[in-house]
């Protein structure tokens, strides 16, 4: 089958092929893991009152000028490691040395429905809040819990100079920063450098993420955004990874003293070249891959999707956040290759 040629990755026809020989039988479905829950949802009640005109949004402003940094957590209601860190900053009474700091607890209604018995159910209520971020959707006449909340916090987003959106992962994977498609996002992510794995991508076909909003994704814009994927949803180390990344961002922007910074790690920058979308309900990986895993050989079999084989299109191919149970039409995995870090 022919190679994809556009600069924006699509559904990756070049990694699909019909097998000439039946090299493997379709593998059995991967068993769903037991998701360890090492952390509990934080008590956000002190921050849900009307601090600045928008419940769940808290601002602090310094007397010295500087950038407006926005930190968002709970865009997905069951990903509360980021909310724990924002709650920690507020309880520690962290204040910006310059500029302005805004902390946003986004999808509060979904978060309120979290239950340990079914932890994946409260990702959202009516639609994914991280697929609605463009002006056409936000100004449309339709309504949903997530869309209405996005409109409520939009005035803060519209004034952000720098934004970090805090997330975590359902399936195992190395922590990383998603820089989006812009050079500004890539520069911001590598300057933060914590975690040191930076991935540039073009988002999801299902809709634009917060970091893809026009304020940050316009190549001519002076503003920048990135998305932290800090590790497993409910792991204790995910909270500490998030805390370290947030403080690294605040030091980089001058909102916290730079003299508290640990030694900088050497960043690795990758670019997503192919997006593999499940075309059938029978998509199965040949084994339970982990995010950040590098497949050394070109042509290595990764999965079968009905009659199609999914193979690596080049050597040293990194698997970005594989979804071990994709439904038809969902992204199963993104494939990325290393590129040189530009200053």
């Amino acid at each position: 089958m022919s190679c994809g040629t556009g600069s924006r990755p699509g559904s990756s026809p070049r990694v699909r092929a019909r097998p000439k020989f039946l090299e493997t039988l379709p593998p059995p479905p991967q068993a769903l893991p037991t998701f360890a829950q090492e952390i509990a949802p934080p008590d956000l009640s002190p921050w849900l009152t009307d601090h600045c005109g928008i419940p769940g949004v808290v601002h602090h402003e310094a007397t010295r000028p500087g950038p407006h940094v926005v930190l968002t957590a709970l865009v997905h209601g069951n990903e509360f490691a980021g909310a724990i860190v924002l709650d920690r900053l507020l309880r520690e009474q962290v204040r910006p040395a310059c500029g302005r700091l805004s902390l946003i607890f986004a999808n509060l209604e979904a978060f309120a429905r979290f239950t340990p018995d079914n932890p994946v159910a409260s990702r959202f209520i009516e639609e994914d809040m991280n697929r609605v971020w463009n002006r056409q959707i936000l100004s449309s006449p339709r309504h949903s819990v997530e869309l209405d909340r996005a409109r409520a916090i939009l005035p803060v987003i519209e004034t952000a100079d720098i934004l970090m959106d805090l997330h975590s992962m359902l399936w195992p994977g190395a922590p990383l920063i998603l820089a989006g498609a812009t050079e500004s996002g890539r520069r911001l992510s590598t300057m933060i450098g914590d975690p040191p794995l930076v991935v540039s991508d073009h988002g999801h076909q299902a809709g634009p993420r917060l970091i893809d909003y026009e304020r940050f994704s316009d190549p001519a814009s002076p503003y920048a955004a990135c998305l932290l994927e800090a590790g497993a949803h409910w792991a204790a180390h995910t909270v500490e990874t998030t805390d370290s990344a947030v403080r690294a961002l605040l030091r980089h922007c001058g909102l916290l003293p730079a003299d508290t910074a640990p030694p900088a790690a050497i960043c690795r920058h990758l670019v997503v070249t192919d997006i593999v979308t499940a075309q059938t309900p029978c998509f199965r990986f040949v084994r339970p891959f982990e995010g950040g895993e590098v497949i050394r050989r070109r042509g290595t079999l990764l999965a079968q999707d009905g009659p199609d084989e999914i193979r690596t299109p080049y050597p040293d191919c990194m698997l970005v956040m594989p979804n071990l149970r994709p439904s038809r039409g969902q992204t199963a995995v993104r494939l990325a290759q290393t590129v040189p870090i530009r200053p």
Side-chain angles (χ1 to χ4, degrees), residues 149-218:
R149 179 60 174 169
R151 291 171 178 139
I153 65 175
L154 183 60
V156 184
I157 304 302
E158 289 280 23
T159 63
D161 298 312
I162 293 171
L163 179 141
M164 178 183 272
D165 190 19
L166 307 176
H167 288 259
S168 52
M169 308 173 186
L170 179 63
W171 302 101
L176 57 87
I177 302 178
L178 289 174
T182 64
E183 181 62 18
S184 62
R186 196 275 310 170
R187 282 198 306 269
L188 173 65
S189 301
T190 54
M191 287 177 182
I192 295 167
D194 186 4
L197 182 59
V198 174
V199 177
S200 294
D201 72 341
H202 288 271
H204 293 273
Q205 291 183 331
R209 303 164 298 187
L210 177 52
I211 66 168
D212 303 320
Y213 185 57
E214 289 95 322
R215 182 173 180 83
F216 311 112
S217 62
D218 183 344

Coordinates of all heavy atoms in Angstrom, one line a residue, residues 149-218:
R149 N -18.8 24.2 30.1 CA -17.7 24.5 31.0 C -16.5 25.1 30.3 O -15.9 26.1 30.8 CB -17.3 23.3 31.8 CG -16.1 23.5 32.7 CD -16.4 24.5 33.8 NE -15.3 24.5 34.8 CZ -15.2 25.4 35.8 NH1 -16.0 26.4 35.9 NH2 -14.1 25.4 36.6
A150 N -16.2 24.6 29.1 CA -15.2 25.2 28.3 C -15.4 26.7 28.0 O -14.5 27.5 28.0 CB -15.0 24.4 27.0
R151 N -16.7 27.0 27.7 CA -17.1 28.4 27.4 C -16.9 29.2 28.7 O -16.5 30.4 28.6 CB -18.5 28.5 26.9 CG -18.7 27.9 25.5 CD -20.2 27.8 25.2 NE -20.4 27.3 23.9 CZ -21.4 26.5 23.5 NH1 -22.2 26.0 24.5 NH2 -21.5 26.0 22.3
A152 N -17.2 28.7 29.9 CA -17.0 29.4 31.1 C -15.6 29.8 31.4 O -15.3 30.9 31.9 CB -17.6 28.6 32.3
I153 N -14.6 28.9 31.1 CA -13.2 29.2 31.4 C -12.5 29.8 30.3 O -11.3 30.2 30.4 CB -12.5 27.9 31.9 CG1 -12.4 26.9 30.7 CG2 -13.1 27.3 33.1 CD1 -11.6 25.6 31.1
L154 N -13.2 30.0 29.1 CA -12.5 30.5 27.9 C -12.0 31.9 28.2 O -10.9 32.2 27.7 CB -13.5 30.6 26.8 CG -13.0 31.1 25.4 CD1 -11.9 30.2 24.9 CD2 -14.1 31.1 24.4
P155 N -12.6 32.8 28.9 CA -12.0 34.1 29.2 C -10.6 34.1 29.8 O -9.7 34.9 29.5 CB -13.0 34.8 30.1 CG -14.3 34.2 29.8 CD -13.9 32.8 29.5
V156 N -10.3 33.1 30.6 CA -9.0 32.9 31.2 C -8.0 32.4 30.1 O -6.9 32.8 30.0 CB -9.0 32.0 32.4 CG1 -7.7 31.9 33.1 CG2 -10.1 32.4 33.4
I157 N -8.5 31.4 29.4 CA -7.6 30.8 28.3 C -7.2 31.9 27.3 O -6.1 31.9 26.8 CB -8.4 29.7 27.6 CG1 -8.9 28.6 28.6 CG2 -7.5 29.1 26.5 CD1 -7.8 28.0 29.4
E158 N -8.2 32.8 27.0 CA -7.9 33.8 26.0 C -6.9 34.9 26.5 O -6.4 35.7 25.7 CB -9.2 34.6 25.7 CG -10.2 33.7 24.9 CD -9.9 33.7 23.4 OE1 -8.7 33.9 23.0 OE2 -10.8 33.5 22.6
T159 N -6.5 34.9 27.7 CA -5.5 35.8 28.2 C -4.2 35.1 28.6 O -3.3 35.8 29.1 CB -6.0 36.6 29.5 OG1 -6.3 35.7 30.5 CG2 -7.3 37.3 29.1
A160 N -4.1 33.8 28.4 CA -2.9 33.1 28.7 C -1.7 33.4 27.8 O -1.9 33.3 26.6 CB -3.2 31.6 28.7
D161 N -0.6 33.6 28.3 CA 0.6 33.7 27.5 C 1.2 32.3 27.4 O 1.8 32.0 26.3 CB 1.7 34.6 28.2 CG 1.2 36.1 28.3 OD1 0.6 36.6 27.3 OD2 1.3 36.7 29.4
I162 N 1.2 31.5 28.5 CA 1.8 30.2 28.5 C 0.8 29.3 29.2 O 0.3 29.7 30.3 CB 3.1 30.2 29.2 CG1 4.2 31.0 28.4 CG2 3.6 28.8 29.5 CD1 5.5 31.2 29.1
L163 N 0.5 28.1 28.7 CA -0.4 27.2 29.3 C 0.2 25.8 29.3 O 0.8 25.3 28.4 CB -1.8 27.2 28.5 CG -2.8 26.2 29.0 CD1 -4.2 26.9 28.9 CD2 -2.9 24.9 28.2
M164 N 0.0 25.1 30.5 CA 0.3 23.7 30.6 C -1.0 23.0 31.0 O -1.6 23.3 32.0 CB 1.4 23.4 31.6 CG 1.7 21.9 31.7 SD 3.0 21.6 32.9 CE 4.5 21.7 31.9
D165 N -1.4 22.0 30.2 CA -2.6 21.2 30.5 C -2.1 19.9 31.1 O -1.3 19.1 30.5 CB -3.3 21.0 29.2 CG -4.7 20.4 29.4 OD1 -5.2 20.4 30.6 OD2 -5.3 19.8 28.5
L166 N -2.6 19.5 32.3 CA -2.1 18.4 33.1 C -2.9 17.2 32.9 O -4.1 17.2 33.2 CB -2.0 18.8 34.6 CG -1.2 20.1 34.9 CD1 -1.3 20.4 36.4 CD2 0.2 20.0 34.4
H167 N -2.3 16.1 32.4 CA -3.0 14.9 32.2 C -2.2 13.7 32.7 O -1.1 13.8 33.2 CB -3.2 14.7 30.7 CG -4.3 15.6 30.1 ND1 -5.5 15.2 29.8 CD2 -4.2 16.9 29.7 CE1 -6.2 16.2 29.3 NE2 -5.4 17.3 29.2
S168 N -2.8 12.5 32.6 CA -2.2 11.3 32.9 C -2.7 10.2 32.0 O -3.5 10.5 31.1 CB -2.4 10.9 34.4 OG -3.8 10.9 34.7
M169 N -2.2 9.0 32.2 CA -2.5 7.9 31.2 C -3.2 6.7 31.8 O -2.9 6.3 32.9 CB -1.1 7.4 30.6 CG -0.2 8.5 30.1 SD 1.4 7.7 29.7 CE 2.4 9.1 29.3
L170 N -4.1 6.1 31.0 CA -4.7 4.9 31.5 C -3.8 3.7 31.3 O -3.7 2.9 32.2 CB -6.0 4.6 30.7 CG -6.8 3.4 31.0 CD1 -7.3 3.4 32.4 CD2 -8.0 3.1 30.0
W171 N -3.1 3.6 30.2 CA -2.2 2.5 29.9 C -0.8 2.8 30.2 O -0.4 4.0 30.2 CB -2.4 2.1 28.4 CG -3.8 1.7 28.1 CD1 -4.7 2.4 27.4 CD2 -4.4 0.5 28.4 NE1 -5.8 1.8 27.2 CE2 -5.7 0.6 27.8 CE3 -4.1 -0.7 29.1 CZ2 -6.7 -0.5 28.0 CZ3 -5.0 -1.7 29.2 CH2 -6.3 -1.6 28.6
P172 N 0.0 1.9 30.6 CA 1.4 2.1 31.0 C 2.2 2.9 29.9 O 2.1 2.6 28.7 CB 2.0 0.7 31.3 CG 0.8 -0.1 31.5 CD -0.3 0.4 30.6
G173 N 3.0 3.8 30.4 CA 3.8 4.6 29.4 C 4.8 5.5 30.1 O 4.5 5.9 31.3
A174 N 5.8 5.9 29.4 CA 6.8 6.8 30.0 C 6.2 8.2 30.0 O 5.5 8.6 29.0 CB 8.1 6.8 29.1
P175 N 6.4 9.0 31.0 CA 5.9 10.4 31.1 C 6.5 11.2 29.9 O 7.7 11.0 29.5 CB 6.4 10.9 32.4 CG 6.7 9.7 33.2 CD 7.1 8.7 32.3
L176 N 5.7 12.1 29.4 CA 6.2 12.9 28.2 C 5.4 14.2 28.2 O 4.4 14.4 28.9 CB 6.0 12.2 26.9 CG 4.6 11.6 26.6 CD1 3.7 12.7 25.8 CD2 4.6 10.4 25.7
I177 N 5.9 15.2 27.4 CA 5.2 16.4 27.1 C 4.8 16.4 25.7 O 5.7 16.3 24.8 CB 6.1 17.6 27.4 CG1 6.6 17.6 28.9 CG2 5.3 18.9 27.2 CD1 7.5 18.8 29.3
L178 N 3.6 16.6 25.4 CA 3.1 16.8 24.0 C 3.1 18.3 23.7 O 2.5 19.1 24.4 CB 1.6 16.3 23.9 CG 1.5 14.8 24.0 CD1 0.0 14.4 24.0 CD2 2.2 14.1 22.8
A179 N 3.9 18.6 22.6 CA 4.1 20.0 22.2 C 3.2 20.5 21.1 O 3.2 21.6 20.7 CB 5.5 20.1 21.7
G180 N 2.3 19.6 20.6 CA 1.4 20.0 19.5 C 2.2 20.1 18.3 O 3.3 19.6 18.1
A181 N 1.7 20.9 17.3 CA 2.3 21.0 16.0 C 3.2 22.3 15.8 O 3.8 22.5 14.8 CB 1.2 21.0 14.9
T182 N 3.2 23.1 16.9 CA 3.9 24.4 16.7 C 5.3 24.4 17.2 O 5.7 23.7 18.1 CB 3.1 25.5 17.4 OG1 3.1 25.3 18.8 CG2 1.6 25.6 16.9
E183 N 6.1 25.3 16.6 CA 7.4 25.5 17.1 C 7.4 26.1 18.5 O 8.3 25.8 19.3 CB 8.2 26.4 16.1 CG 9.6 26.7 16.5 CD 10.5 25.4 16.5 OE1 10.1 24.4 15.9 OE2 11.6 25.5 17.1
S184 N 6.5 27.0 18.8 CA 6.4 27.6 20.1 C 6.2 26.6 21.2 O 6.8 26.6 22.2 CB 5.3 28.7 20.1 OG 4.1 28.1 19.9
G185 N 5.3 25.6 20.9 CA 5.0 24.5 21.8 C 6.3 23.7 22.0 O 6.6 23.2 23.1
R186 N 7.0 23.4 20.9 CA 8.2 22.6 21.0 C 9.3 23.3 21.8 O 9.9 22.7 22.7 CB 8.7 22.3 19.6 CG 9.7 21.2 19.5 CD 11.1 21.6 19.7 NE 11.5 22.8 19.0 CZ 12.7 23.4 19.2 NH1 13.5 23.0 20.1 NH2 13.0 24.5 18.5
R187 N 9.4 24.6 21.6 CA 10.4 25.3 22.4 C 10.1 25.4 23.9 O 10.9 25.2 24.7 CB 10.6 26.8 21.8 CG 11.4 26.9 20.6 CD 11.8 28.3 20.3 NE 10.7 29.3 20.4 CZ 10.0 29.6 19.3 NH1 10.3 29.2 18.1 NH2 9.0 30.5 19.4
L188 N 8.8 25.6 24.2 CA 8.4 25.7 25.5 C 8.6 24.3 26.2 O 9.2 24.3 27.3 CB 6.9 26.0 25.6 CG 6.2 25.9 27.0 CD1 6.8 26.9 28.0 CD2 4.7 26.1 26.9
S189 N 8.3 23.2 25.6 CA 8.4 21.9 26.1 C 9.9 21.5 26.4 O 10.2 21.0 27.5 CB 7.8 20.9 25.2 OG 6.4 21.2 25.0
T190 N 10.7 21.9 25.5 CA 12.1 21.5 25.7 C 12.8 22.4 26.7 O 13.7 22.0 27.4 CB 12.9 21.6 24.3 OG1 12.7 22.8 23.7 CG2 12.4 20.5 23.4
M191 N 12.3 23.7 26.8 CA 12.9 24.5 27.9 C 12.4 24.1 29.3 O 13.2 24.2 30.2 CB 12.4 26.0 27.6 CG 13.1 26.7 26.4 SD 12.5 28.3 26.1 CE 13.4 28.8 24.7
I192 N 11.2 23.6 29.4 CA 10.8 23.0 30.6 C 11.7 21.8 31.0 O 12.2 21.7 32.1 CB 9.3 22.6 30.6 CG1 8.4 23.8 30.4 CG2 8.9 21.8 31.9 CD1 7.0 23.4 30.0
G193 N 11.8 20.9 30.0 CA 12.7 19.8 30.1 C 12.4 18.7 31.2 O 13.3 17.9 31.6
D194 N 11.2 18.7 31.7 CA 10.9 17.8 32.8 C 9.4 17.4 32.7 O 8.6 18.2 33.0 CB 11.2 18.4 34.2 CG 11.0 17.5 35.3 OD1 10.7 16.3 35.1 OD2 11.1 17.9 36.5
P195 N 9.1 16.2 32.2 CA 10.0 15.2 31.8 C 10.8 15.5 30.5 O 10.3 16.4 29.7 CB 9.1 14.0 31.6 CG 7.8 14.6 31.2 CD 7.7 15.9 32.0
P196 N 11.9 14.8 30.2 CA 12.7 15.2 29.1 C 12.3 14.6 27.7 O 12.9 14.9 26.7 CB 14.1 14.6 29.5 CG 13.8 13.4 30.4 CD 12.6 13.8 31.1
L197 N 11.2 13.8 27.7 CA 10.7 13.3 26.5 C 9.6 14.2 25.9 O 8.6 14.4 26.5 CB 10.1 11.9 26.7 CG 9.5 11.2 25.5 CD1 10.6 11.0 24.4 CD2 8.9 9.8 25.9
V198 N 9.9 14.8 24.7 CA 9.0 15.8 24.1 C 8.6 15.3 22.8 O 9.4 14.8 21.9 CB 9.8 17.2 23.9 CG1 8.9 18.1 23.1 CG2 10.2 17.7 25.3
V199 N 7.2 15.3 22.6 CA 6.7 14.7 21.3 C 5.8 15.8 20.6 O 4.9 16.3 21.3 CB 5.8 13.5 21.6 CG1 5.1 13.0 20.3 CG2 6.6 12.4 22.3
S200 N 6.1 16.1 19.4 CA 5.3 17.0 18.6 C 4.3 16.2 17.8 O 4.7 15.1 17.2 CB 6.2 17.8 17.6 OG 7.1 18.7 18.3
D201 N 3.1 16.6 17.8 CA 2.1 15.9 17.1 C 1.0 16.8 16.5 O 1.1 18.0 16.7 CB 1.4 14.8 18.0 CG 0.5 15.4 19.1 OD1 0.7 16.6 19.3 OD2 -0.3 14.7 19.7
H202 N 0.0 16.2 15.9 CA -1.1 17.0 15.3 C -2.4 16.8 15.9 O -3.5 17.0 15.3 CB -1.2 16.8 13.8 CG 0.0 17.3 13.0 ND1 -0.1 18.6 12.5 CD2 1.2 16.8 12.7 CE1 1.1 18.9 11.8 NE2 1.8 17.8 11.9
G203 N -2.4 16.2 17.1 CA -3.7 16.1 17.8 C -4.5 14.9 17.4 O -4.0 13.9 16.9
H204 N -5.8 15.0 17.5 CA -6.8 13.9 17.3 C -7.7 14.3 16.1 O -8.2 15.5 16.1 CB -7.6 13.6 18.5 CG -6.7 13.0 19.6 ND1 -6.5 11.7 19.7 CD2 -6.1 13.6 20.6 CE1 -5.7 11.4 20.8 NE2 -5.5 12.6 21.3
Q205 N -8.1 13.4 15.3 CA -9.1 13.6 14.3 C -10.5 13.9 14.9 O -11.3 14.5 14.3 CB -9.2 12.4 13.3 CG -7.9 12.2 12.5 CD -8.1 11.1 11.5 OE1 -8.8 10.1 11.7 NE2 -7.4 11.2 10.4
A206 N -10.7 13.4 16.1 CA -12.0 13.6 16.8 C -12.3 15.0 17.2 O -13.4 15.4 17.5 CB -12.1 12.7 18.0
G207 N -11.3 15.9 17.2 CA -11.5 17.3 17.6 C -10.2 17.9 18.3 O -9.4 17.2 18.7
P208 N -10.2 19.2 18.3 CA -9.0 19.9 18.8 C -8.9 19.9 20.3 O -9.9 20.1 21.0 CB -9.2 21.3 18.2 CG -10.6 21.5 18.1 CD -11.2 20.1 17.7
R209 N -7.7 19.7 20.8 CA -7.4 19.7 22.2 C -7.2 21.2 22.6 O -7.1 22.1 21.8 CB -6.1 19.0 22.5 CG -6.1 17.5 22.1 CD -4.7 17.0 22.0 NE -3.9 17.7 21.1 CZ -2.6 17.3 20.8 NH1 -2.1 16.2 21.3 NH2 -1.9 18.0 19.9
L210 N -7.1 21.4 23.9 CA -6.9 22.7 24.5 C -5.6 23.3 23.9 O -5.6 24.5 23.6 CB -6.9 22.7 26.0 CG -6.6 24.0 26.8 CD1 -7.5 25.1 26.3 CD2 -6.7 23.7 28.3
I211 N -4.5 22.5 23.8 CA -3.3 23.1 23.3 C -3.4 23.3 21.8 O -2.5 24.0 21.3 CB -2.1 22.1 23.6 CG1 -2.2 20.8 22.9 CG2 -1.9 21.9 25.1 CD1 -0.9 20.0 22.9
D212 N -4.4 22.8 21.2 CA -4.6 23.1 19.7 C -5.5 24.4 19.5 O -5.7 24.7 18.3 CB -5.3 21.9 19.0 CG -4.5 20.6 19.2 OD1 -3.2 20.7 19.1 OD2 -5.1 19.6 19.4
Y213 N -5.9 25.0 20.5 CA -6.8 26.2 20.4 C -6.0 27.3 19.6 O -4.8 27.4 19.7 CB -7.2 26.7 21.8 CG -8.1 27.9 21.8 CD1 -9.3 27.8 21.1 CD2 -7.8 29.1 22.4 CE1 -10.2 28.8 21.1 CE2 -8.7 30.1 22.4 CZ -9.9 30.0 21.7 OH -10.8 31.1 21.7
E214 N -6.7 28.0 18.8 CA -6.1 29.0 17.9 C -5.1 29.9 18.6 O -4.1 30.3 18.0 CB -7.1 29.8 17.2 CG -7.9 29.0 16.1 CD -9.2 28.5 16.7 OE1 -9.3 28.1 17.9 OE2 -10.2 28.5 16.0
R215 N -5.3 30.3 19.8 CA -4.4 31.2 20.5 C -3.0 30.7 20.6 O -2.0 31.4 20.5 CB -4.9 31.5 21.9 CG -4.1 32.5 22.7 CD -4.7 32.9 24.0 NE -3.9 33.9 24.7 CZ -3.8 35.2 24.5 NH1 -4.6 35.7 23.6 NH2 -3.1 36.0 25.3
F216 N -2.9 29.3 20.7 CA -1.6 28.7 20.8 C -1.1 28.0 19.5 O 0.1 27.8 19.3 CB -1.7 27.6 21.9 CG -2.3 28.2 23.2 CD1 -3.5 27.7 23.6 CD2 -1.7 29.1 23.9 CE1 -4.1 28.2 24.8 CE2 -2.3 29.6 25.1 CZ -3.5 29.1 25.5
S217 N -2.0 27.6 18.7 CA -1.7 26.8 17.5 C -1.4 27.7 16.2 O -0.8 27.2 15.3 CB -2.7 25.8 17.1 OG -4.0 26.4 16.8
D218 N -1.8 28.9 16.3 CA -1.4 29.8 15.1 C 0.1 30.0 15.1 O 0.7 30.5 16.1 CB -2.1 31.2 15.3 CG -1.9 32.1 14.2 OD1 -1.0 31.9 13.4 OD2 -2.7 33.1 14.1

